[in-house]
Amino acid sequence: MSDVSLPVKYITGLRINMLPDDFPEYEPTPEDWDALAEAWHEAFSCLPGRHHIENVMLDLRGIDPFTVPDIVPVLVEVTTGLYTRTKKESGRDLVFDVMGAERQRKWIETQLPGKSEDELFEEELAAARRQRGGG
């Protein structure tokens, strides 16, 4: 048996296609949305509690813009569960970003828990300016 330590590799980012290929393109029923939320709850519950994920990209490319108001409650529900569990068990915040739904992306990101990558960048930039004395 060797005493050599192997480097540990971490998964720090996930990109998730939120809608399955067989999801109804137009006018999904409330049951469709419930089934989607249940599937994502189950998938996220399989993640170990003490993971190293820092960023979760929610891929909404190809989604009908008129269904965005229907999917946002699902996104909020499943990301809040994952965010809360990660915060409790790992002591870290998760950053959620959205890909796709360009016209509504910023609004969607404001509905999700935690801060977006853009907000974190702005905070870091402001802190660097304060440190340099640039106010």
Side-chain angles (χ1 to χ4, degrees):
M1 187 100 170
S2 171
D3 293 355
V4 177
S5 297
L6 296 175
V8 178
K9 297 195 180 202
Y10 301 121
I11 296 172
T12 59
L14 294 176
R15 181 171 149 207
I16 300 172
N17 185 355
M18 290 303 297
L19 296 178
D21 292 338
D22 62 347
F23 196 77
E25 190 171 333
Y26 297 101
E27 300 184 33
T29 66
E31 291 79 20
D32 294 326
W33 293 114
D34 291 344
L36 181 68
E38 185 177 325
W40 281 114
H41 276 295
E42 186 176 319
F44 286 157
S45 71
C46 292
L47 288 172
R50 296 186 57 87
H51 57 73
H52 296 276
I53 297 167
E54 298 170 353
N55 184 283
V56 178
M57 176 65 70
L58 305 172
D59 190 340
L60 299 179
R61 289 180 300 166
I63 188 172
D64 182 331
F66 294 105
T67 63
V68 167
D70 294 322
I71 197 172
V72 168
V74 172
L75 297 176
V76 170
E77 182 180 337
V78 298
T79 58
T80 299
L82 180 59
Y83 182 88
T84 304
R85 186 167 152 241
T86 298
K87 186 75 168 171
K88 178 182 175 187
E89 296 183 24
S90 296
R92 289 179 297 97
D93 294 318
L94 283 176
V95 175
F96 292 97
D97 291 306
V98 174
M99 175 185 288
E102 292 305 319
R103 294 178 65 203
Q104 298 150 310
R105 183 178 63 85
K106 291 285 188 192
W107 174 76
I108 296 169
E109 287 177 347
T110 64
Q111 307 304 305
L112 302 175
K115 295 179 180 175
S116 72
E117 197 69 45
D118 291 343
E119 290 173 312
L120 291 175
F121 176 76
E122 290 298 324
E123 286 179 5
E124 290 172 6
L125 185 61
R129 285 181 178 152
R130 282 192 302 274
Q131 188 175 17
R132 284 194 333 248

